[in-house]
Amino acid sequence: ILNPGVYCLGDDFRVTGSSRLTGSDVFIIMVGGSIDTSRGSLVNLTAATHQWTLGELSAWENMLIYVYPDNDGVVNLGGGNASTYIGTIYASSPPHAESQPKCAIGGETKAGDKLSVKGQVICYTITVHGNADIDVTYTSSNVSQTPQNITLVR
C-alpha cells in the first residue's frame, strides 16, 4: 500500500507475481531506473487531485507517474485482475535501447478482467502486449498539465 504522497525513486521498481499495489493520492517520480508492474500483479493507483508543491513549483495535479528526462528506463504497466491506473503517465525521453518501447501497456488477464488507464499516456514510444483487454480512456478530470521544467535535488 502506498500512502498518499510523493515517491521519488532512483532505481528499478517492480511489482511481480501475485503481489498487490494500491495507493490513492500518489505521485511517483522516476529519477532513475524502470517501473514494471506487468507480471500478473494487481495494481490500483490513483494520482492526487490537488497540486503538489515541489520547491518553487506548484503543479502536478493528476500526475501519476513522471519519468525524469535524463532517465532512460522504461515504464511497463500491466498486471492482471482488473488493474487500474488513474492519472497522467509521462515518459517523453527515449529508452536506453532503441529497439525497446519507452512505455508498454498490457499483460495477461483472466476472462472478463480489464486493464484500465484513465487519464492520458504521454510516452516517447508505446507498445501494447499480451492478451489483456485494455481500456485507455482520456478523462479530462484526470489529466495533468506538466510544468515547463523541474529540478530535483538528491
Side-chain angles (χ1 to χ4, degrees), residues 31-47:
V31 176
S34 297
I35 185 168
D36 184 356
T37 63
S38 65
R39 294 184 178 93
S41 55
L42 173 62
V43 180
N44 290 301
L45 295 175
T46 303

Side-chain angles (χ1 to χ4, degrees), residues 4-25:
V6 177
Y7 294 85
C8 188
L9 305 175
D11 205 350
D12 290 347
F13 179 70
R14 299 189 195 294
V15 181
T16 60
S18 61
S19 300
R20 301 181 115 189
L21 177 65
T22 60
S24 59
D25 203 18

Side-chain angles (χ1 to χ4, degrees), residues 13-14 20-22 27 42 54 81 87 98 129 139 146:
F13 179 70
R14 299 189 195 294
R20 301 181 115 189
L21 177 65
T22 60
F27 175 25
L42 173 62
L54 302 172
N81 308 320
E98 201 171 295
H129 63 88
T139 308
T146 59

Side-chain angles (χ1 to χ4, degrees), residues 10-152:
D11 205 350
D12 290 347
F13 179 70
R14 299 189 195 294
V15 181
T16 60
S18 61
S19 300
R20 301 181 115 189
L21 177 65
T22 60
S24 59
D25 203 18
V26 298
F27 175 25
I28 300 169
I29 302 172
M30 298 298 300
V31 176
S34 297
I35 185 168
D36 184 356
T37 63
S38 65
R39 294 184 178 93
S41 55
L42 173 62
V43 180
N44 290 301
L45 295 175
T46 303
T49 57
H50 60 83
Q51 293 188 351
W52 293 104
T53 300
L54 302 172
E56 296 179 10
L57 298 175
S58 182
W60 309 102
E61 178 181 0
N62 294 312
M63 181 67 72
L64 181 60
I65 299 171
Y66 176 83
V67 179
Y68 199 68
D70 293 340
N71 181 359
D72 64 359
V74 298
V75 177
N76 195 358
L77 299 180
N81 308 320
S83 291
T84 303
Y85 302 86
I86 300 174
T88 296
I89 297 156
Y90 187 86
S92 65
S93 60
H96 61 272
E98 201 171 295
S99 62
Q100 185 175 32
K102 184 65 175 188
C103 295
I105 301 172
E108 307 298 321
T109 60
K110 298 175 187 172
D113 285 344
K114 187 180 290 188
L115 171 67
S116 296
V117 179
K118 298 177 181 178
Q120 63 182 343
V121 180
I122 303 169
C123 293
Y124 187 82
T125 53
I126 300 174
T127 188
V128 175
H129 63 88
N131 73 346
D133 288 335
I134 301 171
D135 178 17
V136 179
T137 305
Y138 178 85
T139 308
S140 60
S141 61
N142 296 331
V143 170
S144 179
Q145 302 296 319
T146 59
Q148 292 181 346
N149 59 46
I150 180 172
T151 302
L152 299 175

